[in-house]
Amino acid sequence: MRFLRRSLGGLFLFALTLALLAHAGRMLWSAVETRMNAEPRSFAQQERVAGVRGLTIAPGRTRPELVVFGELLSSRTVALRAAVGGTVQDVAETMVEGGAVTAGELLLQIDPADAESALARARVDLEDALSEGREAERALELARDELAAAEAQAVLREQALTRQRGLQDRGIGTAPELEAAELSASTAAQAVLTRRQAIAQAETRIDQAATRRARAEIAVAEAERDLANTRITAPFDGQLTEVAIGPGSRVAANEQLAVLVDPDALEVAFRVSATQYARLLNEEGRIAGAPVRVRLDVDGLPLTGAGRVVREAAVVAQGQTGRLIYAALDRAPGLRPGDFVTVIVTEPPLDEVATIPAAALGADGTVLAIGPEDRLESVAVEQLRTQGDAVLIAAADLAGREIVARRTPLLGAGIKVRRLDDTPADPGADPDAAPEMIAPEMIALDPARRARLVAFVEASDRMPAEARARLIEQLGAEEVPAEIVDRLEGRMGG
């Protein structure tokens, strides 16, 4: 009985479960059928509007700048060499690496004993030559006197011969007497010829004495020059480098002792490509006179200088390309030969161009202009130059139009945009563009302010010694870049 009751209860529960499942399936089928047969609902479509920064194109006259790298050189550099050999006797205190010297300053003294002895011998030889010349002149005077006497005697002998011939014609004289007179006249004539030959020899002796004296004078001049060359002096104001000599050293003729460099006569050598060189040419086809600025960052403090292009290399070196150009610097405080600097060359001006951020130019050479109804249009432009994070374009056809200052992959032709409030009105105000390198503003410092700045630099242990020395030298000038003063005073305040 219990078994039957439990069986009927289980059968009831099973039937109830099947009924519930069937009801749930029917409800699900009804919902799906209703959804499939229902009319589709429509939602209002809204066009996507992108926010952009606008930039108004204003064509004008611009002078592009070419940025390259170059090395500073000194236009006045000379190797000091020993003209004569010998032992180094004295060396100036400034004859050290980096020593500052003035024009005419004695740098080195080679032992002059040998040169003085050679000069003394040359002077003795000169005195001997002068004595020989005086003796030759006296001998010539005596020879002339002897010639005069011989000529007088020959005249007398000729007169005696004439008388003897007269006597012989009158029959008074004898033949032996006539022969004797003729022989005497002949002997007198021979004596005259001998004296003339003596005069010629005396004149030749005088010429030889003059030649000997000239050689002796040349020897004396050479000896004096060798003696003077034992003193090595500075040909101009500058600083010494590559000093390789000291007291007691033995030097040979033409041996290099040091190199004298004028640190104020600076020029920068830099290489440009053939294309860049062509852009730098003026209307006359020359590059000389183009303005140049140089810049060297030392621990965040810039050292700057300015000048102009003076010349270019005559030929292209083997294995090189482009052109090697030299520019003379008018003023470059703190810079030294050998520095590797950034060179900014101002190119000839371009008309009807505009400066835009590089991000505004697409890879296909187009920009996105904001057209009617604030929709973008793709406009092809001609790129003329690259200036850091900005580019120069030919903007005659875009004058007054507004373009997108920064393109993104989501922007394209036909997309509607809205202008952002922080859109820069000038491409130069683009916050992402690199600041333009301009000539630094110079200010004059009073003694107290200069002393504080110098003391702060000397006490700085984070700055290299060479950079510290250059900065101190720059602070010692009459005018100092205002940027450097502001940075130093900012650090002092911190």
Side-chain angles (χ1 to χ4, degrees), residues 298-373:
V298 180
D299 195 22
L301 301 175
L303 301 179
T304 60
R308 290 186 175 274
V309 173
V310 292
R311 67 186 187 278
E312 57 181 296
V315 297
V316 179
Q318 184 177 4
Q320 299 290 338
T321 59
R323 302 291 187 271
L324 184 61
I325 300 175
Y326 298 88
L329 301 182
D330 301 329
R331 184 181 61 179
L335 297 176
R336 288 293 180 269
D339 284 337
F340 194 69
V341 296
T342 302
V343 183
I344 304 98
V345 187
T346 303
E347 300 183 15
L350 298 177
D351 295 323
E352 296 297 327
V353 299
T355 304
I356 64 173
L361 185 65
D364 55 353
T366 62
V367 295
L368 295 177
I370 302 177
E373 299 181 359

Side-chain angles (χ1 to χ4, degrees), residues 53-57 356 360 367-370 398 401-405:
R53 294 179 177 181
L55 176 65
T56 302
I57 300 298
I356 64 173
V367 295
L368 295 177
I370 302 177
L398 289 175
R401 297 199 63 180
E402 190 175 6
I403 66 170
V404 176

Side-chain angles (χ1 to χ4, degrees), residues 213-270:
R213 181 183 61 188
R215 290 177 178 173
E217 290 175 349
I218 293 174
V220 170
E222 290 179 349
E224 290 176 347
R225 186 166 57 252
D226 290 342
L227 179 59
N229 287 336
T230 59
R231 295 169 55 88
I232 308 298
T233 58
F236 52 83
D237 297 347
Q239 288 183 288
L240 295 173
T241 183
E242 300 182 22
V243 179
I245 204 67
S249 302
R250 181 74 181 179
V251 298
N254 202 39
E255 180 179 350
Q256 180 173 314
L257 308 177
V259 176
L260 180 60
V261 179
D262 186 353
D264 296 328
L266 289 179
E267 62 181 14
V268 59
F270 56 95

Side-chain angles (χ1 to χ4, degrees), residues 19 23 34 48 50 81 83 118 155 160 170 200 209 283 289 301 317 328 330 340 363 403 408 416-417 426 452 486:
H23 181 69
T34 302
R48 181 177 64 87
R81 297 181 179 273
V155 171
R170 293 193 298 269
E283 297 178 355
L301 301 175
D330 301 329
F340 194 69
I403 66 170
T408 65
K416 190 172 183 178
V417 296
D426 189 348
R452 290 196 303 271
D486 293 340

Side-chain angles (χ1 to χ4, degrees), residues 24-337:
R26 182 178 178 181
M27 292 180 63
L28 179 61
W29 174 260
S30 178
V32 171
E33 186 178 15
T34 302
R35 181 62 181 268
M36 293 179 64
N37 294 331
E39 294 292 335
R41 292 184 300 171
S42 60
F43 297 93
Q45 299 294 325
Q46 184 177 4
E47 182 180 6
R48 181 177 64 87
V49 179
V52 297
R53 294 179 177 181
L55 176 65
T56 302
I57 300 298
R61 187 181 180 90
T62 304
R63 300 199 67 174
E65 291 184 340
L66 173 63
V67 180
V68 293
F69 297 97
E71 182 181 5
L72 291 182
L73 307 173
S74 175
S75 58
R76 299 181 67 188
T77 303
V78 62
L80 301 179
R81 297 181 179 273
V84 296
T87 303
V88 177
Q89 193 174 52
D90 295 319
V91 178
E93 296 181 356
T94 54
M95 190 69 174
V96 293
E97 187 71 24
V101 298
T102 57
E105 180 181 351
L106 178 62
L107 304 179
L108 191 73
Q109 175 67 63
I110 299 176
D111 189 359
D114 295 340
E116 290 174 349
S117 299
L119 177 59
R121 289 192 297 269
R123 287 175 175 172
V124 170
D125 292 340
L126 178 59
E127 291 295 333
D128 190 12
L130 294 175
S131 177
E132 177 67 20
R134 292 191 295 268
E135 184 178 353
E137 290 177 355
R138 289 193 297 268
L140 178 59
E141 292 177 359
L142 292 175
R144 288 173 177 171
D145 293 340
E146 290 178 352
L147 175 60
E151 289 177 345
Q153 188 176 7
V155 171
L156 294 175
R157 294 295 183 182
E158 190 65 30
Q159 292 176 356
L161 177 60
T162 302
R163 286 195 308 269
Q164 192 64 35
R165 286 176 178 172
L167 294 175
Q168 184 70 24
D169 292 339
R170 293 193 298 269
I172 300 176
T174 61
E177 291 177 351
L178 179 60
E179 292 178 356
E182 291 177 348
L183 181 60
S184 296
S186 176
T187 302
Q190 182 65 37
V192 170
L193 293 176
T194 302
R195 297 310 174 191
R196 289 178 177 174
Q197 184 177 6
I199 290 177
Q201 292 177 351
E203 291 175 347
T204 302
R205 184 179 176 186
I206 289 177
D207 294 338
Q208 293 176 348
T211 302
R212 182 178 176 184
R213 181 183 61 188
R215 290 177 178 173
E217 290 175 349
I218 293 174
V220 170
E222 290 179 349
E224 290 176 347
R225 186 166 57 252
D226 290 342
L227 179 59
N229 287 336
T230 59
R231 295 169 55 88
I232 308 298
T233 58
F236 52 83
D237 297 347
Q239 288 183 288
L240 295 173
T241 183
E242 300 182 22
V243 179
I245 204 67
S249 302
R250 181 74 181 179
V251 298
N254 202 39
E255 180 179 350
Q256 180 173 314
L257 308 177
V259 176
L260 180 60
V261 179
D262 186 353
D264 296 328
L266 289 179
E267 62 181 14
V268 59
F270 56 95
R271 186 175 296 277
V272 297
S273 66
T275 303
Q276 293 171 336
Y277 173 78
R279 293 174 178 173
L280 294 176
L281 296 178
N282 56 20
E283 297 178 355
E284 300 176 355
R286 304 182 60 183
I287 193 176
V292 172
R293 302 195 307 274
V294 297
R295 182 185 180 98
L296 175 64
D297 290 328
V298 180
D299 195 22
L301 301 175
L303 301 179
T304 60
R308 290 186 175 274
V309 173
V310 292
R311 67 186 187 278
E312 57 181 296
V315 297
V316 179
Q318 184 177 4
Q320 299 290 338
T321 59
R323 302 291 187 271
L324 184 61
I325 300 175
Y326 298 88
L329 301 182
D330 301 329
R331 184 181 61 179
L335 297 176
R336 288 293 180 269

